[in-house]
Amino acid sequence: MGEKGFGGKRFDGKRFVITDDNAGEYILKMGAFVRDIVTQARRKGVVLGMSGGIDCSVVARLCQEAGVYVKLLMLPDDDNMKMSSSHRDALALIDGFGFDYEVCDIGKACRAVESELGSLSDLSRMNIRPRMRMIVLYAAAQSVSCFVIGTGNLDERLLGYFTKWGDGASDLNPLGLLTKGEVRILARYLGVPKAIVDKPASAGLFEGQTDEEELGISYDLMDAFILKGTSGNAEVDGKIEQRIEMSRHKLEPIRVFGECCSLC
């Protein structure tokens, strides 16, 4: 990786780079990672939230190629999401590769929580959705002795672009050290439909939402920052570094008195 990482500092967590030339090798390694964890824990497989996006599609195909049973759960929020292009993309992937899947509408449950809590900020209201999906995923996984598998990539994790105890919650995550560009490489290798590979990334928080517009940073610039130590733009670098620092708590273990503070 060289001597530079974030903001000129070495980032020791990223010790490999996936390219078109070595994609097959890493698919085997990542598949073995998933298979070993599932086997050692004597689980039957994994449960995966399927949004129709590139990250979850890659994880689904990765598990399939590794011979790990994977059940996909589509978790729309009422009929508007069922009519979306992402919902259609998810069904195309499912039909194309023969995945086992189930649809669970979280709309009524989310509205019930909103109604009970009363006044909420817009952000806290939006975050109910990914947290409700986490509840459903873990309930479904436990009922069939499976793990919940995560799909968050390195860009999202470092920027904190996920909901704590929502889409950031999982038992294992094969994509956690992959940039968005590396995920795209794997997607093409695994035969993920072009419509999924090429469309703008979205967390599905609201209609028309895209990751890059909300973040104000393109994934290409974020990838460059990770792999080269700079995006090539000092202002963008500063913005990325600020987001990383602000969201660091999302990646840290729960702080417990007696284990992590000088006052103990």
Side-chain angles (χ1 to χ4, degrees):
M1 285 299 300
E3 293 302 319
K4 299 194 75 177
F6 299 148
K9 298 177 182 177
R10 182 180 175 85
F11 176 51
D12 290 326
K14 178 70 172 167
R15 297 175 182 171
F16 62 89
V17 176
I18 296 175
T19 66
D20 289 323
D21 293 333
N22 66 18
E25 173 190 346
Y26 275 95
I27 285 170
L28 291 176
K29 289 180 178 180
M30 294 164 68
F33 163 81
V34 174
R35 188 171 56 247
D36 289 349
I37 290 175
V38 170
T39 301
Q40 289 169 12
R42 298 183 180 180
R43 293 298 192 271
K44 294 179 179 178
V46 296
V47 171
L48 169 64
M50 172 49 63
S51 67
I54 188 171
D55 296 323
C56 56
S57 299
V58 165
V59 173
R61 286 285 296 121
L62 185 68
C63 293
Q64 192 176 53
E65 287 292 302
V68 175
Y69 170 72
V70 54
K71 181 172 184 177
L72 307 184
L73 282 187
M74 298 176 67
L75 303 166
D77 178 8
D78 294 332
D79 290 339
N80 61 325
M81 291 189 74
K82 295 175 186 176
M83 301 298 290
S84 69
S85 60
S86 290
H87 194 86
R88 292 192 295 273
D89 289 340
L91 288 175
L93 182 85
I94 288 167
D95 292 341
F97 291 98
F99 286 107
D100 183 15
Y101 81 103
E102 190 173 345
V103 179
C104 178
D105 193 323
I106 64 168
K108 289 182 180 179
C110 291
R111 288 196 301 275
V113 172
E114 291 172 347
S115 176
E116 288 295 324
L117 288 176
S119 178
L120 292 169
S121 69
D122 289 342
L123 183 58
S124 64
R125 190 179 300 276
M126 283 191 293
N127 280 333
I128 288 173
R129 272 71 189 162
R131 290 184 174 126
M132 187 62 67
R133 292 185 178 111
M134 181 273 293
I135 291 172
V136 175
L137 286 169
Y138 270 93
Q142 186 176 26
S143 69
V144 292
S145 189
C146 284
F147 275 146
V148 173
I149 192 165
T151 65
N153 60 59
L154 181 55
D155 299 48
E156 293 167 340
R157 292 176 66 236
L158 287 174
L159 290 179
Y161 194 63
F162 60 89
T163 299
K164 201 171 185 177
W165 314 124
D167 53 327
S170 64
D171 296 303
L172 67 157
N173 180 0
L175 303 187
L177 283 177
L178 273 64
T179 65
K180 195 71 171 183
E182 290 175 306
V183 174
R184 291 193 187 102
I185 289 171
L186 294 189
R188 291 191 290 267
Y189 194 97
L190 289 165
V192 172
K194 192 173 185 296
I196 294 176
V197 177
D198 292 345
K199 71 180 175 182
S202 172
L205 296 176
F206 52 85
E207 186 66 26
Q209 181 261 345
T210 67
D211 295 355
E212 292 182 332
E213 184 175 353
E214 188 171 1
L215 287 168
I217 306 166
S218 74
Y219 277 116
D220 286 344
L221 290 178
M222 183 64 191
D223 285 2
F225 184 84
I226 291 170
L227 298 174
K228 301 175 183 178
T230 178
S231 67
N233 182 304
E235 184 178 351
V236 172
D237 287 356
K239 188 173 184 179
I240 292 172
E241 289 167 355
Q242 183 180 41
R243 285 198 64 112
I244 289 173
E245 188 59 36
M246 288 175 59
S247 61
R248 192 180 301 277
H249 69 96
K250 290 187 174 185
L251 296 177
E252 293 176 344
I254 296 173
R255 287 170 282 188
V256 177
F257 181 81
E259 293 182 350
C260 60
C261 67
S262 60
L263 299 178
C264 304

